[in-house]
Amino acid sequence: MWNKQDTIFWTQIESFLTEKNHDNYKKISLEDKKRIDHVFRITFFGIFQFELFKGKTIQSISPETVQEILSYLIKNYQELSCIVYHYQKKEIFFDVQNAEDVAKISNIFENLVVPYINEYSFIDVEKYSFQNNSKILLLLQMAFKNKWDINCKDDLGNITNSQIYPLLITLLIMDITNLDKMYTRIKTFFTKENIMKVIISGRELSFKETEHINNLLSLIQDDEDFHQFLVQFKKDIWEEMETEVRFKLVYQLSRFTSIFLKEKISSLVNQESELETWDLFYNYAPILLGVKTINTSKISNEKSLFLLPFLDKDFNSDFIYKHLKKFKPEINQEFNYQQLFNFSNSLMACNSFIRLICALNKDCPIISDFLIDNNKLALVDTLKLFEPSNQGGYKSNISWSDFEIPFISKFDLKEQFNDLKIFEDKNNVFCNMFKNLSLMLALNPEIINKFDYSFSEIVKYYILCFGPYENSKNIFTKEIFEELKIKLKNIILAYEKEYNTEPLNPKFKESFYLLYRLIIFKKSTK
C-alpha cells in the first residue's frame, strides 16, 4: 500500500509552485500524488546516473541543463524505474512512447521537481551536519545511488557496478565515523588470505584484468610493504593528511575492494580511474573524508554544494518545524527541532545500513559478513536478523523489504492497536514502525539518552517525522499524543499478560524486544 498521501510535503507544495502552474496543482488527487512522487523518485535517482554519464557531479540544475536531464530521464525511464522499484512492474506509471505521458512527466519535472531539488536538495557543505549519523547516512545513500551504472553494461547486457561504488564500500568497511578503530578494521578485512581467496573464487579474471592488478598482488605478497601501506590509516597519521591525500589512499585501498566486488563489475581494467572517481566524489569529500576545506585550485569564492543523496521531501525537518510553528503554541505538542533532525537521520541511517547489508549479502557475502560481525550484538544476538551459517559467515533471516520505513496516514493514526495482532501482520504500519525503532536502538543505543529512555517519546518523534499533516490544521495536538500513550500502554499490558512467563518471547525479537527492555529499564529507574 502506498502511504505517502498525508506527508509534510503536500502541505508545502504551494511554496514552490509558480503562478503559471499553480492552478494545475490546486487540487491534487491521490493518483496525482502517486504520479508526482514517482517522477520525484525517478528524477532523483536519475540525476546520479546522469552524473555518472557525464563523469562529474553537478551543483544545481541550471536552466541550460533542464532539457538535457529530462531527455536523459525519458530515454532511460524503463531502466531507472526498474532499479528504483526493484523490478516491480506495477510501479511503472508512464508509457514514454506516449506523447501525452511524456508531457505529464515533463510538466511535473519542470514545475515541481526541479524547483524543489534546486531549493532544498543541494546542500552547502559548511551548513551540513558533521555528526556521525549524518555522515554515515550520506555514505550509505551515496552507495545506493551509485551502486549501479545504467550507462555501463557487460557483454551480456547486464548493468554493472559504477566506478565510484568500490570507493564508497571501502569507506563503509573502514567506518569513517570511528577513527580510533579504522586501522584495525582495515587490517582485519584486507588480509592477504581474504584477497587471494576472492581472486580464485567466483568469476575468473581475464588475462588483461590479472595484468592490471599485478602491482596490487605484488604489494600484498610483500608483508612489509603491505604493512607500510595499511599503517597510513592509523588515526595519528590519518589526521595529519590533507583531503586529497586521504582520497588517494582510500582510492588505492578501493582497488582491492573492486576485486571483492568483481562479480558485478564487467572488467577491473575499466573500473580504475583515479581522476574520474575524484570528479564524482569531489563534492562529498569534505564530509566523508572529515576535512571541511579542500586545498585545490578548484576552490573559489562560490559556495561548495553537494546533492543530498536521499529525497527528504516527505520528512524534511525544516518543513515540519515551519508547519507546526504556524499554530498556537498551546495546542502544539512540545518538540525540539534538533532532536527531530537527529532522530530522522539516525533512523534513516540504521534503516539504510540494514538494507545495504541485505544487498551485499547477495552480491558479496564476505563484505556483508564483515559488517554483520562488527554489529553482531545488535543484528545477530539481539534482533536475530542473521544467524551463523554452517558454511561460515552469516545467513539472513530477512529481506530488504522487511525494513521499509512506513509513513503514517491520518487513517492509521486513528487505528486501535490494543492487542498483539499487529505483530502478526507484516504490512501493519505500527508493526513496521516498532521494527525500525528496535533496529535504531540496537545499532545506535546512545540515541535513547536524548529521549530520557522514554518509549512514548521515541514513538512521538517517529510520528512527527513520518506522520500525517494537513495544510490548515494541526493534527498533533496534546490530546492526540495522550491517546497515543494510552494505546502504547494497552499494547504493553497485552504483551505482558500473554507472555507473563516469558515476556521476551523470540517471536517479537525484531519488533518489540528492545522496546520492551526500554520500558523495563525506565520502570526500574523510577
Side-chain angles (χ1 to χ4, degrees), residues 35-51 58 61 65-66 69-74 76-77 80-81 84-85 94 104-118 121-122 145 150 307-311 313:
R35 290 188 179 91
I36 290 168
D37 185 65
H38 175 77
V39 177
F40 261 99
R41 292 185 66 181
I42 298 301
T43 300
F44 215 75
F45 177 63
I47 291 174
F48 284 90
Q49 293 298 303
F50 178 77
E51 289 180 331
I58 60 176
I61 302 177
T65 60
V66 167
I69 293 174
L70 178 60
S71 296
Y72 179 86
L73 297 176
I74 298 297
N76 297 286
Y77 173 78
L80 293 171
S81 297
V84 168
Y85 292 101
F94 298 101
K104 288 178 182 176
I105 295 173
S106 177
N107 186 290
I108 295 169
F109 174 77
E110 292 181 29
N111 296 315
L112 286 177
V113 181
V114 171
Y116 177 88
I117 291 177
N118 276 336
S121 298
F122 286 101
K145 294 299 183 295
I150 66 170
L307 178 59
L308 199 66
F310 56 93
L311 185 58
K313 70 180 179 65

Short mmCIF file of all heavy atoms in Angstrom, two decimals, residues 35-51 58 61 65-66 69-74 76-77 80-81 84-85 94 104-118 121-122 145 150 307-311 313:
data_model
loop_
_atom_site.label_atom_id
_atom_site.label_comp_id
_atom_site.label_asym_id
_atom_site.label_seq_id
_atom_site.Cartn_x
_atom_site.Cartn_y
_atom_site.Cartn_z
N ARG A 35 1.72 9.89 -8.92
CA ARG A 35 2.49 10.21 -10.13
C ARG A 35 3.59 11.24 -9.83
O ARG A 35 4.72 11.13 -10.32
CB ARG A 35 1.57 10.73 -11.23
CG ARG A 35 0.66 9.66 -11.81
CD ARG A 35 -0.10 10.18 -13.03
NE ARG A 35 -0.95 9.13 -13.60
CZ ARG A 35 -2.21 8.93 -13.26
NH1 ARG A 35 -2.78 9.71 -12.36
NH2 ARG A 35 -2.90 7.96 -13.81
N ILE A 36 3.26 12.23 -9.02
CA ILE A 36 4.24 13.25 -8.65
C ILE A 36 5.39 12.60 -7.87
O ILE A 36 6.57 12.85 -8.15
CB ILE A 36 3.58 14.37 -7.81
CG1 ILE A 36 2.65 15.19 -8.69
CG2 ILE A 36 4.64 15.28 -7.17
CD1 ILE A 36 1.72 16.13 -7.93
N ASP A 37 5.05 11.77 -6.90
CA ASP A 37 6.07 11.09 -6.11
C ASP A 37 6.94 10.20 -7.00
O ASP A 37 8.16 10.12 -6.83
CB ASP A 37 5.40 10.25 -5.02
CG ASP A 37 6.41 9.59 -4.09
OD1 ASP A 37 7.11 10.33 -3.38
OD2 ASP A 37 6.51 8.36 -4.08
N HIS A 38 6.31 9.55 -7.96
CA HIS A 38 7.03 8.68 -8.90
C HIS A 38 8.07 9.48 -9.69
O HIS A 38 9.23 9.06 -9.80
CB HIS A 38 6.02 8.04 -9.85
CG HIS A 38 6.64 7.23 -10.94
ND1 HIS A 38 7.14 5.96 -10.74
CD2 HIS A 38 6.84 7.51 -12.26
CE1 HIS A 38 7.63 5.50 -11.88
NE2 HIS A 38 7.45 6.42 -12.81
N VAL A 39 7.67 10.62 -10.23
CA VAL A 39 8.61 11.43 -11.02
C VAL A 39 9.74 11.96 -10.14
O VAL A 39 10.90 12.03 -10.56
CB VAL A 39 7.87 12.59 -11.75
CG1 VAL A 39 8.87 13.46 -12.51
CG2 VAL A 39 6.83 12.03 -12.71
N PHE A 40 9.42 12.31 -8.91
CA PHE A 40 10.46 12.72 -7.96
C PHE A 40 11.50 11.61 -7.79
O PHE A 40 12.71 11.85 -7.85
CB PHE A 40 9.85 13.07 -6.60
CG PHE A 40 9.63 14.53 -6.36
CD1 PHE A 40 8.39 15.10 -6.54
CD2 PHE A 40 10.68 15.35 -5.96
CE1 PHE A 40 8.18 16.46 -6.32
CE2 PHE A 40 10.49 16.70 -5.73
CZ PHE A 40 9.24 17.26 -5.91
N ARG A 41 11.03 10.40 -7.55
CA ARG A 41 11.94 9.29 -7.27
C ARG A 41 12.79 8.94 -8.49
O ARG A 41 14.00 8.71 -8.37
CB ARG A 41 11.16 8.06 -6.79
CG ARG A 41 10.52 8.25 -5.42
CD ARG A 41 9.86 6.99 -4.93
NE ARG A 41 10.83 5.94 -4.67
CZ ARG A 41 10.52 4.72 -4.25
NH1 ARG A 41 9.24 4.42 -4.02
NH2 ARG A 41 11.44 3.81 -4.04
N ILE A 42 12.14 8.89 -9.64
CA ILE A 42 12.88 8.58 -10.87
C ILE A 42 13.91 9.67 -11.16
O ILE A 42 15.06 9.38 -11.53
CB ILE A 42 11.92 8.44 -12.07
CG1 ILE A 42 10.94 7.28 -11.85
CG2 ILE A 42 12.69 8.25 -13.38
CD1 ILE A 42 11.59 5.94 -11.66
N THR A 43 13.52 10.91 -10.99
CA THR A 43 14.43 12.03 -11.24
C THR A 43 15.62 12.00 -10.29
O THR A 43 16.77 12.17 -10.69
CB THR A 43 13.71 13.38 -11.09
OG1 THR A 43 12.63 13.44 -12.02
CG2 THR A 43 14.66 14.55 -11.35
N PHE A 44 15.32 11.78 -9.02
CA PHE A 44 16.39 11.84 -8.02
C PHE A 44 17.45 10.78 -8.28
O PHE A 44 18.65 11.07 -8.26
CB PHE A 44 15.80 11.67 -6.61
CG PHE A 44 16.51 12.50 -5.59
CD1 PHE A 44 16.30 13.87 -5.53
CD2 PHE A 44 17.40 11.93 -4.70
CE1 PHE A 44 16.96 14.65 -4.60
CE2 PHE A 44 18.07 12.69 -3.76
CZ PHE A 44 17.85 14.06 -3.71
N PHE A 45 17.02 9.55 -8.53
CA PHE A 45 17.97 8.50 -8.88
C PHE A 45 18.62 8.80 -10.23
O PHE A 45 19.82 8.61 -10.42
CB PHE A 45 17.28 7.14 -8.91
CG PHE A 45 18.17 6.01 -9.33
CD1 PHE A 45 19.27 5.65 -8.56
CD2 PHE A 45 17.93 5.30 -10.49
CE1 PHE A 45 20.10 4.60 -8.93
CE2 PHE A 45 18.74 4.25 -10.88
CZ PHE A 45 19.84 3.90 -10.10
N GLY A 46 17.80 9.32 -11.15
CA GLY A 46 18.29 9.60 -12.50
C GLY A 46 19.38 10.65 -12.55
O GLY A 46 20.29 10.57 -13.39
N ILE A 47 19.33 11.62 -11.65
CA ILE A 47 20.37 12.66 -11.64
C ILE A 47 21.73 12.06 -11.30
O ILE A 47 22.76 12.42 -11.90
CB ILE A 47 20.01 13.79 -10.66
CG1 ILE A 47 18.82 14.59 -11.20
CG2 ILE A 47 21.19 14.74 -10.45
CD1 ILE A 47 18.29 15.64 -10.25
N PHE A 48 21.76 11.12 -10.36
CA PHE A 48 23.03 10.47 -10.02
C PHE A 48 23.53 9.63 -11.19
O PHE A 48 24.74 9.57 -11.45
CB PHE A 48 22.87 9.62 -8.76
CG PHE A 48 22.83 10.44 -7.50
CD1 PHE A 48 21.63 10.90 -7.00
CD2 PHE A 48 24.00 10.79 -6.85
CE1 PHE A 48 21.58 11.69 -5.86
CE2 PHE A 48 23.97 11.58 -5.71
CZ PHE A 48 22.76 12.02 -5.21
N GLN A 49 22.61 9.01 -11.93
CA GLN A 49 23.01 8.26 -13.12
C GLN A 49 23.47 9.22 -14.23
O GLN A 49 24.40 8.91 -14.97
CB GLN A 49 21.83 7.41 -13.61
CG GLN A 49 21.45 6.29 -12.66
CD GLN A 49 22.56 5.29 -12.45
OE1 GLN A 49 23.06 4.69 -13.42
NE2 GLN A 49 22.96 5.08 -11.20
N PHE A 50 22.84 10.37 -14.30
CA PHE A 50 23.26 11.40 -15.26
C PHE A 50 24.67 11.87 -14.94
O PHE A 50 25.48 12.10 -15.85
CB PHE A 50 22.27 12.57 -15.21
CG PHE A 50 22.60 13.71 -16.13
CD1 PHE A 50 22.35 13.63 -17.50
CD2 PHE A 50 23.17 14.89 -15.63
CE1 PHE A 50 22.65 14.69 -18.34
CE2 PHE A 50 23.47 15.95 -16.47
CZ PHE A 50 23.21 15.85 -17.83
N GLU A 51 24.97 12.02 -13.65
CA GLU A 51 26.33 12.42 -13.25
C GLU A 51 27.35 11.35 -13.65
O GLU A 51 28.45 11.68 -14.11
CB GLU A 51 26.38 12.65 -11.74
CG GLU A 51 25.64 13.90 -11.29
CD GLU A 51 25.71 14.11 -9.79
OE1 GLU A 51 25.82 13.11 -9.04
OE2 GLU A 51 25.65 15.27 -9.35
N ILE A 58 27.11 17.66 -10.24
CA ILE A 58 26.57 18.99 -10.52
C ILE A 58 26.21 19.66 -9.20
O ILE A 58 26.04 19.00 -8.18
CB ILE A 58 25.32 18.92 -11.43
CG1 ILE A 58 24.21 18.08 -10.77
CG2 ILE A 58 25.70 18.34 -12.79
CD1 ILE A 58 22.90 18.06 -11.57
N ILE A 61 20.60 22.35 -10.91
CA ILE A 61 20.01 22.05 -12.22
C ILE A 61 19.78 23.39 -12.89
O ILE A 61 18.78 24.08 -12.62
CB ILE A 61 18.69 21.26 -12.09
CG1 ILE A 61 18.93 19.96 -11.31
CG2 ILE A 61 18.13 20.94 -13.47
CD1 ILE A 61 17.66 19.15 -11.06
N THR A 65 20.52 23.06 -18.45
CA THR A 65 20.61 21.60 -18.41
C THR A 65 19.27 20.91 -18.17
O THR A 65 19.19 19.69 -18.19
CB THR A 65 21.59 21.15 -17.29
OG1 THR A 65 21.11 21.65 -16.03
CG2 THR A 65 22.99 21.64 -17.56
N VAL A 66 18.20 21.69 -17.93
CA VAL A 66 16.89 21.10 -17.64
C VAL A 66 16.46 20.13 -18.74
O VAL A 66 16.09 18.98 -18.47
CB VAL A 66 15.81 22.19 -17.43
CG1 VAL A 66 14.42 21.58 -17.47
CG2 VAL A 66 16.03 22.91 -16.12
N ILE A 69 18.74 16.92 -19.01
CA ILE A 69 18.46 15.93 -17.96
C ILE A 69 17.11 15.26 -18.21
O ILE A 69 16.97 14.04 -18.08
CB ILE A 69 18.49 16.58 -16.56
CG1 ILE A 69 19.91 17.04 -16.23
CG2 ILE A 69 17.98 15.60 -15.50
CD1 ILE A 69 20.02 17.83 -14.93
N LEU A 70 16.12 16.05 -18.60
CA LEU A 70 14.79 15.49 -18.89
C LEU A 70 14.88 14.46 -20.02
O LEU A 70 14.29 13.38 -19.94
CB LEU A 70 13.82 16.61 -19.27
CG LEU A 70 12.40 16.17 -19.66
CD1 LEU A 70 11.73 15.41 -18.51
CD2 LEU A 70 11.55 17.38 -20.06
N SER A 71 15.60 14.79 -21.07
CA SER A 71 15.77 13.85 -22.19
C SER A 71 16.44 12.56 -21.74
O SER A 71 16.07 11.46 -22.17
CB SER A 71 16.61 14.51 -23.31
OG SER A 71 15.93 15.62 -23.84
N TYR A 72 17.43 12.71 -20.85
CA TYR A 72 18.13 11.54 -20.31
C TYR A 72 17.15 10.67 -19.52
O TYR A 72 17.16 9.44 -19.64
CB TYR A 72 19.29 11.99 -19.42
CG TYR A 72 20.06 10.86 -18.80
CD1 TYR A 72 21.10 10.24 -19.49
CD2 TYR A 72 19.75 10.40 -17.52
CE1 TYR A 72 21.81 9.18 -18.92
CE2 TYR A 72 20.44 9.34 -16.94
CZ TYR A 72 21.47 8.73 -17.64
OH TYR A 72 22.16 7.69 -17.07
N LEU A 73 16.31 11.29 -18.71
CA LEU A 73 15.33 10.55 -17.91
C LEU A 73 14.32 9.82 -18.79
O LEU A 73 13.98 8.65 -18.53
CB LEU A 73 14.58 11.50 -16.96
CG LEU A 73 15.41 12.23 -15.90
CD1 LEU A 73 14.54 13.20 -15.12
CD2 LEU A 73 16.08 11.23 -14.96
N ILE A 74 13.83 10.49 -19.81
CA ILE A 74 12.84 9.87 -20.71
C ILE A 74 13.48 8.69 -21.46
O ILE A 74 12.90 7.61 -21.56
CB ILE A 74 12.31 10.90 -21.73
CG1 ILE A 74 11.58 12.05 -21.02
CG2 ILE A 74 11.39 10.22 -22.74
CD1 ILE A 74 10.35 11.64 -20.26
N ASN A 76 15.94 6.83 -20.58
CA ASN A 76 16.31 5.71 -19.70
C ASN A 76 15.22 5.39 -18.67
O ASN A 76 15.49 4.72 -17.67
CB ASN A 76 17.61 6.03 -18.97
CG ASN A 76 18.78 6.19 -19.92
OD1 ASN A 76 19.29 5.21 -20.46
ND2 ASN A 76 19.20 7.43 -20.14
N TYR A 77 14.00 5.84 -18.95
CA TYR A 77 12.91 5.72 -17.99
C TYR A 77 12.68 4.27 -17.52
O TYR A 77 12.53 4.01 -16.32
CB TYR A 77 11.62 6.27 -18.59
CG TYR A 77 10.39 6.05 -17.74
CD1 TYR A 77 10.14 6.85 -16.62
CD2 TYR A 77 9.48 5.03 -18.03
CE1 TYR A 77 9.02 6.64 -15.83
CE2 TYR A 77 8.36 4.82 -17.25
CZ TYR A 77 8.13 5.63 -16.14
OH TYR A 77 7.03 5.41 -15.36
N LEU A 80 15.58 3.07 -15.22
CA LEU A 80 15.56 3.81 -13.96
C LEU A 80 14.42 3.32 -13.08
O LEU A 80 14.59 3.11 -11.87
CB LEU A 80 15.40 5.31 -14.23
CG LEU A 80 16.57 6.02 -14.92
CD1 LEU A 80 16.17 7.44 -15.32
CD2 LEU A 80 17.81 6.05 -14.04
N SER A 81 13.25 3.13 -13.68
CA SER A 81 12.08 2.65 -12.92
C SER A 81 12.32 1.26 -12.34
O SER A 81 11.97 0.99 -11.19
CB SER A 81 10.83 2.62 -13.81
OG SER A 81 10.49 3.90 -14.26
N VAL A 84 14.74 1.63 -9.32
CA VAL A 84 14.12 2.34 -8.20
C VAL A 84 13.06 1.48 -7.51
O VAL A 84 12.96 1.46 -6.28
CB VAL A 84 13.49 3.67 -8.69
CG1 VAL A 84 12.59 4.28 -7.61
CG2 VAL A 84 14.59 4.66 -9.06
N TYR A 85 12.28 0.75 -8.30
CA TYR A 85 11.18 -0.04 -7.75
C TYR A 85 11.49 -1.55 -7.70
O TYR A 85 10.59 -2.36 -7.57
CB TYR A 85 9.90 0.20 -8.55
CG TYR A 85 9.37 1.60 -8.38
CD1 TYR A 85 9.59 2.58 -9.34
CD2 TYR A 85 8.69 1.97 -7.22
CE1 TYR A 85 9.11 3.88 -9.18
CE2 TYR A 85 8.21 3.26 -7.05
CZ TYR A 85 8.42 4.21 -8.03
OH TYR A 85 7.96 5.50 -7.86
N PHE A 94 4.11 5.47 -16.30
CA PHE A 94 4.01 6.17 -17.59
C PHE A 94 4.53 5.30 -18.73
O PHE A 94 5.41 4.46 -18.54
CB PHE A 94 4.81 7.47 -17.56
CG PHE A 94 4.32 8.46 -16.54
CD1 PHE A 94 4.98 8.61 -15.32
CD2 PHE A 94 3.21 9.26 -16.79
CE1 PHE A 94 4.54 9.53 -14.38
CE2 PHE A 94 2.76 10.18 -15.85
CZ PHE A 94 3.43 10.30 -14.65
N LYS A 104 3.20 14.84 -19.43
CA LYS A 104 2.90 14.84 -17.98
C LYS A 104 4.19 14.78 -17.17
O LYS A 104 4.36 15.50 -16.18
CB LYS A 104 2.00 13.65 -17.63
CG LYS A 104 0.57 13.78 -18.12
CD LYS A 104 -0.24 12.53 -17.78
CE LYS A 104 -1.67 12.63 -18.30
NZ LYS A 104 -2.44 11.38 -18.05
N ILE A 105 5.11 13.89 -17.57
CA ILE A 105 6.40 13.79 -16.88
C ILE A 105 7.13 15.13 -16.95
O ILE A 105 7.65 15.62 -15.94
CB ILE A 105 7.27 12.68 -17.51
CG1 ILE A 105 6.64 11.31 -17.30
CG2 ILE A 105 8.68 12.72 -16.91
CD1 ILE A 105 7.35 10.18 -18.02
N SER A 106 7.15 15.70 -18.13
CA SER A 106 7.84 16.98 -18.34
C SER A 106 7.26 18.08 -17.46
O SER A 106 7.99 18.87 -16.85
CB SER A 106 7.75 17.38 -19.82
OG SER A 106 8.34 18.64 -20.04
N ASN A 107 5.93 18.12 -17.35
CA ASN A 107 5.26 19.14 -16.55
C ASN A 107 5.63 19.01 -15.08
O ASN A 107 5.99 20.00 -14.41
CB ASN A 107 3.74 19.01 -16.73
CG ASN A 107 2.98 20.13 -16.05
OD1 ASN A 107 2.92 20.19 -14.83
ND2 ASN A 107 2.38 21.00 -16.84
N ILE A 108 5.57 17.79 -14.56
CA ILE A 108 5.92 17.56 -13.15
C ILE A 108 7.39 17.85 -12.91
O ILE A 108 7.77 18.49 -11.93
CB ILE A 108 5.58 16.10 -12.74
CG1 ILE A 108 4.07 15.87 -12.82
CG2 ILE A 108 6.09 15.80 -11.33
CD1 ILE A 108 3.67 14.40 -12.68
N PHE A 109 8.22 17.41 -13.83
CA PHE A 109 9.67 17.60 -13.70
C PHE A 109 10.04 19.08 -13.66
O PHE A 109 10.75 19.54 -12.76
CB PHE A 109 10.38 16.90 -14.87
CG PHE A 109 11.86 17.13 -14.93
CD1 PHE A 109 12.72 16.45 -14.08
CD2 PHE A 109 12.40 18.04 -15.84
CE1 PHE A 109 14.09 16.66 -14.13
CE2 PHE A 109 13.77 18.25 -15.90
CZ PHE A 109 14.62 17.55 -15.05
N GLU A 110 9.54 19.84 -14.61
CA GLU A 110 9.94 21.25 -14.73
C GLU A 110 9.29 22.14 -13.68
O GLU A 110 9.93 23.08 -13.18
CB GLU A 110 9.60 21.76 -16.13
CG GLU A 110 10.44 21.13 -17.24
CD GLU A 110 10.09 21.67 -18.61
OE1 GLU A 110 9.66 22.85 -18.69
OE2 GLU A 110 10.21 20.93 -19.60
N ASN A 111 8.06 21.83 -13.31
CA ASN A 111 7.32 22.74 -12.43
C ASN A 111 7.35 22.37 -10.94
O ASN A 111 7.08 23.23 -10.09
CB ASN A 111 5.86 22.83 -12.89
CG ASN A 111 5.74 23.44 -14.28
OD1 ASN A 111 6.39 24.44 -14.58
ND2 ASN A 111 4.94 22.83 -15.13
N LEU A 112 7.66 21.14 -10.64
CA LEU A 112 7.70 20.71 -9.24
C LEU A 112 9.06 20.18 -8.82
O LEU A 112 9.64 20.62 -7.83
CB LEU A 112 6.64 19.64 -8.98
CG LEU A 112 5.18 20.08 -8.91
CD1 LEU A 112 4.28 18.86 -8.71
CD2 LEU A 112 4.98 21.05 -7.76
N VAL A 113 9.56 19.22 -9.58
CA VAL A 113 10.77 18.51 -9.16
C VAL A 113 12.00 19.40 -9.21
O VAL A 113 12.76 19.48 -8.23
CB VAL A 113 10.98 17.24 -10.02
CG1 VAL A 113 12.23 16.50 -9.56
CG2 VAL A 113 9.77 16.32 -9.93
N VAL A 114 12.23 20.06 -10.32
CA VAL A 114 13.43 20.91 -10.45
C VAL A 114 13.43 22.04 -9.43
O VAL A 114 14.44 22.26 -8.74
CB VAL A 114 13.57 21.46 -11.90
CG1 VAL A 114 14.68 22.51 -11.96
CG2 VAL A 114 13.87 20.32 -12.86
N PRO A 115 12.31 22.79 -9.26
CA PRO A 115 12.32 23.83 -8.22
C PRO A 115 12.61 23.28 -6.83
O PRO A 115 13.34 23.89 -6.05
CB PRO A 115 10.90 24.42 -8.30
CG PRO A 115 10.46 24.14 -9.70
CD PRO A 115 11.06 22.82 -10.05
N TYR A 116 12.02 22.11 -6.51
CA TYR A 116 12.26 21.53 -5.18
C TYR A 116 13.74 21.16 -4.99
O TYR A 116 14.37 21.50 -3.98
CB TYR A 116 11.40 20.29 -4.96
CG TYR A 116 11.68 19.65 -3.62
CD1 TYR A 116 11.00 20.06 -2.47
CD2 TYR A 116 12.68 18.68 -3.47
CE1 TYR A 116 11.30 19.51 -1.22
CE2 TYR A 116 12.99 18.14 -2.24
CZ TYR A 116 12.29 18.55 -1.12
OH TYR A 116 12.60 18.03 0.11
N ILE A 117 14.28 20.44 -5.96
CA ILE A 117 15.67 19.96 -5.83
C ILE A 117 16.63 21.14 -5.75
O ILE A 117 17.56 21.15 -4.92
CB ILE A 117 16.03 19.01 -6.99
CG1 ILE A 117 15.25 17.70 -6.84
CG2 ILE A 117 17.54 18.74 -7.03
CD1 ILE A 117 15.46 16.71 -7.97
N ASN A 118 16.43 22.14 -6.59
CA ASN A 118 17.32 23.31 -6.56
C ASN A 118 17.25 24.05 -5.23
O ASN A 118 18.25 24.57 -4.73
CB ASN A 118 17.00 24.26 -7.70
CG ASN A 118 17.68 23.88 -9.00
OD1 ASN A 118 18.71 23.20 -9.00
ND2 ASN A 118 17.11 24.29 -10.12
N SER A 121 17.57 20.41 -2.10
CA SER A 121 18.40 19.20 -2.15
C SER A 121 19.87 19.45 -2.42
O SER A 121 20.69 18.54 -2.23
CB SER A 121 17.85 18.23 -3.21
OG SER A 121 16.54 17.82 -2.87
N PHE A 122 20.23 20.64 -2.88
CA PHE A 122 21.64 20.99 -3.00
C PHE A 122 22.05 21.68 -1.71
O PHE A 122 21.55 22.76 -1.38
CB PHE A 122 21.89 21.88 -4.22
CG PHE A 122 21.82 21.13 -5.52
CD1 PHE A 122 20.69 21.20 -6.32
CD2 PHE A 122 22.88 20.34 -5.95
CE1 PHE A 122 20.61 20.50 -7.52
CE2 PHE A 122 22.82 19.63 -7.14
CZ PHE A 122 21.68 19.71 -7.92
N LYS A 145 22.72 5.10 -4.43
CA LYS A 145 22.51 5.85 -5.67
C LYS A 145 23.56 5.52 -6.72
O LYS A 145 23.34 5.68 -7.92
CB LYS A 145 22.53 7.36 -5.39
CG LYS A 145 21.38 7.86 -4.53
CD LYS A 145 20.03 7.61 -5.17
CE LYS A 145 18.88 8.16 -4.35
NZ LYS A 145 18.72 7.49 -3.05
N ILE A 150 23.72 2.55 -15.11
CA ILE A 150 22.92 2.09 -16.25
C ILE A 150 23.59 2.42 -17.58
O ILE A 150 23.19 1.92 -18.63
CB ILE A 150 21.49 2.68 -16.24
CG1 ILE A 150 21.53 4.20 -16.44
CG2 ILE A 150 20.75 2.31 -14.96
CD1 ILE A 150 20.16 4.81 -16.67
N LEU A 307 24.73 17.42 -3.84
CA LEU A 307 23.35 16.93 -3.95
C LEU A 307 23.12 15.88 -2.87
O LEU A 307 23.79 14.84 -2.83
CB LEU A 307 23.10 16.32 -5.33
CG LEU A 307 21.71 15.74 -5.58
CD1 LEU A 307 20.62 16.78 -5.38
CD2 LEU A 307 21.63 15.12 -6.97
N LEU A 308 22.18 16.16 -1.98
CA LEU A 308 21.83 15.20 -0.94
C LEU A 308 21.41 13.89 -1.60
O LEU A 308 20.55 13.90 -2.48
CB LEU A 308 20.67 15.77 -0.12
CG LEU A 308 20.41 15.19 1.26
CD1 LEU A 308 21.55 15.53 2.22
CD2 LEU A 308 19.09 15.73 1.82
N PRO A 309 22.00 12.76 -1.23
CA PRO A 309 21.70 11.52 -1.96
C PRO A 309 20.42 10.81 -1.53
O PRO A 309 20.19 9.67 -1.92
CB PRO A 309 22.93 10.65 -1.66
CG PRO A 309 23.42 11.13 -0.35
CD PRO A 309 23.10 12.60 -0.29
N PHE A 310 19.61 11.46 -0.72
CA PHE A 310 18.30 10.87 -0.40
C PHE A 310 17.24 11.97 -0.48
O PHE A 310 17.50 13.13 -0.18
CB PHE A 310 18.30 10.21 0.98
CG PHE A 310 18.71 11.11 2.12
CD1 PHE A 310 17.77 11.81 2.85
CD2 PHE A 310 20.05 11.24 2.45
CE1 PHE A 310 18.14 12.64 3.90
CE2 PHE A 310 20.43 12.06 3.50
CZ PHE A 310 19.49 12.76 4.22
N LEU A 311 16.08 11.59 -0.90
CA LEU A 311 14.98 12.52 -1.10
C LEU A 311 14.23 12.68 0.22
O LEU A 311 13.56 11.76 0.67
CB LEU A 311 14.06 11.98 -2.19
CG LEU A 311 12.90 12.87 -2.66
CD1 LEU A 311 13.40 14.20 -3.18
CD2 LEU A 311 12.11 12.13 -3.74
N LYS A 313 11.85 14.99 0.99
CA LYS A 313 10.66 15.85 0.87
C LYS A 313 9.52 15.43 1.81
O LYS A 313 8.74 16.27 2.25
CB LYS A 313 10.15 15.88 -0.57
CG LYS A 313 9.53 14.58 -1.07
CD LYS A 313 9.03 14.71 -2.51
CE LYS A 313 8.43 13.42 -3.01
NZ LYS A 313 7.21 13.00 -2.33
#
